[in-house]
Amino acid sequence: MGMQHWIVGLVLATSLAAPTVQAQRSESPPASPRIYVFDNGAITGLDPALFNFRRDELQEVDFVNASYLIVHPRGTLMFDAGAVPDSHFKGDGSAVVEGVVTATQPLLPQLAAAGYAPGDITYFALSHYHSDHTGNANAFAGATWIVQRAEREYMFADSPQGIIQPTTYDALRNATTKLLDDEDFDVFGDGTVVVMATPGHTPGHQVVAVKLANRGTVVLGGDLYHYPEERTTGRVPTFEFDVDKSRESRARIERFLAANDATLWIEHDIATHAALPKPPSYVD
Ligand SMILES: [Zn+2]
């Protein structure tokens, strides 16, 4: 109880801030999948040593923070939810600074610019529970939550430790849930949108492979890697849940990418994100 009211309040508040966005889905479903890419701010001031790099070994130390909406002919999948809850924005266009995160745009107006409201979302998935990905997770508790059992258990443990903000996702506890046991899930049943289990960074980290008609297959990589240099050097961050599993998951996804001539989008990579269109434009 209270959630509906909170969402309505949030939509009203954000539409005051951005009067031109549409809150209703305006288009009929597309004939093939498309991906909308959202901007959830910047993460700055990171210490490269946390990721086992020296400054001079990285092209770019800062992160972008991103999330995605996948629209399929039979429904929608929201993947990740930013760092800063929309309710933390003042509505006057000013940036919100919380720790290492600086965000300038709330998420739901961007979703609206794509033509969707939270109530239109069929499925919701997180790459993992870290707080830079869960900011607006509560807004999607009306969707079916796709989560690995090990991740969910960690998120709802008595006193979860680490980079975690349970208040941003606690409404998921009662969401309709598709619980996965370290396994993949073909979301719409036609092989075009597949959540893939990639444990290691966290107990139940996942990525999403999307088969696009024009662009080919894209893998939304979450935090399987943070920097492109992790891919070329094989280094892993210092704070992995299980380094061996991270390496196994990376090897599995690299095989998938090669076998499917697919492209990996590293979620925090500034160059990758900058090259992608933003709503109302999309990739298909
Ligand atoms: Zn992250």
Side-chain angles (χ1 to χ4, degrees), residues 38-44 46 51 63-68 79-85 98-103 107 124 126-137 162-166 168-169 201-202 205 222-223 225-226 239 267-269:
F38 303 126
D39 178 344
N40 302 116
I43 299 180
T44 58
L46 293 168
F51 300 88
F63 288 173
V64 67
N65 208 30
S67 57
Y68 311 90
F79 186 56
D80 282 343
V84 178
E98 295 184 354
V100 294
V101 179
T102 302
L107 176 59
F124 176 63
L126 293 164
S127 58
H128 63 301
Y129 69 77
H130 286 161
S131 59
D132 52 319
H133 301 261
T134 60
N136 292 285
I163 311 163
I164 194 161
Q165 286 289 353
T168 60
Y169 62 74
H201 187 56
T202 61
H205 185 278
D223 287 8
Y225 303 96
H226 301 73
F239 55 98
E267 191 162 321
H268 285 306
D269 182 47

Side-chain angles (χ1 to χ4, degrees), residues 238-252:
T238 55
F239 55 98
E240 298 295 90
F241 171 73
D242 185 325
V243 168
D244 291 337
K245 283 191 175 175
S246 294
R247 292 190 195 287
E248 277 174 36
S249 292
R250 286 178 173 191
R252 177 177 176 231

Side-chain angles (χ1 to χ4, degrees), residues 5-257:
H5 181 75
W6 181 82
I7 291 172
V8 170
L10 187 56
V11 169
L12 287 175
T14 53
S15 48
L16 283 176
T20 57
V21 300
Q22 293 171 280
Q24 295 299 317
R25 186 154 57 89
S26 53
E27 296 174 44
S28 50
S32 67
R34 49 177 70 161
I35 304 174
Y36 291 93
V37 179
F38 303 126
D39 178 344
N40 302 116
I43 299 180
T44 58
L46 293 168
D47 180 358
L50 270 175
F51 300 88
N52 282 315
F53 284 96
R54 294 191 315 268
R55 173 66 192 90
D56 62 291
E57 293 175 314
L58 295 172
Q59 196 99 41
E60 173 62 75
V61 176
D62 294 344
F63 288 173
V64 67
N65 208 30
S67 57
Y68 311 90
L69 174 69
I70 299 154
V71 180
H72 181 276
R74 292 205 282 275
T76 54
L77 166 63
M78 182 75 201
F79 186 56
D80 282 343
V84 178
D86 280 12
S87 59
H88 293 193
F89 287 82
K90 286 190 183 126
D92 60 1
S94 62
V96 178
V97 180
E98 295 184 354
V100 294
V101 179
T102 302
T104 55
Q105 301 184 62
L107 176 59
L108 297 193
Q110 297 182 66
L111 187 65
Y116 294 83
D120 299 321
I121 305 305
T122 324
Y123 293 98
F124 176 63
L126 293 164
S127 58
H128 63 301
Y129 69 77
H130 286 161
S131 59
D132 52 319
H133 301 261
T134 60
N136 292 285
N138 283 335
F140 302 103
T144 295
W145 182 31
I146 302 169
V147 63
Q148 304 291 331
R149 186 184 299 274
E151 191 84 354
R152 190 185 184 283
E153 282 176 0
Y154 193 95
M155 292 169 75
F156 290 113
D158 287 341
S159 47
Q161 302 299 308
I163 311 163
I164 194 161
Q165 286 289 353
T167 55
T168 60
Y169 62 74
D170 53 13
L172 294 176
R173 185 190 287 272
N174 299 315
T176 303
T177 302
K178 176 64 185 175
L179 203 54
L180 301 173
D181 281 305
D182 200 18
E183 61 190 326
D184 298 348
F185 179 53
D186 179 357
V187 180
F188 300 102
D190 64 354
T192 59
V193 181
V194 179
V195 171
M196 300 177 76
T198 49
H201 187 56
T202 61
H205 185 278
Q206 18 183 49
V207 303
V208 185
V210 187
K211 201 176 282 184
L212 299 169
N214 294 313
R215 178 91 57 136
T217 299
V218 166
V219 173
L220 309 180
D223 287 8
L224 185 69
Y225 303 96
H226 301 73
Y227 296 117
E229 289 87 348
E230 288 169 51
R231 258 188 112 179
T232 50
T233 63
R235 292 185 210 172
V236 295
T238 55
F239 55 98
E240 298 295 90
F241 171 73
D242 185 325
V243 168
D244 291 337
K245 283 191 175 175
S246 294
R247 292 190 195 287
E248 277 174 36
S249 292
R250 286 178 173 191
R252 177 177 176 231
I253 295 305
E254 292 295 344
R255 286 194 299 272
F256 177 88
L257 292 166

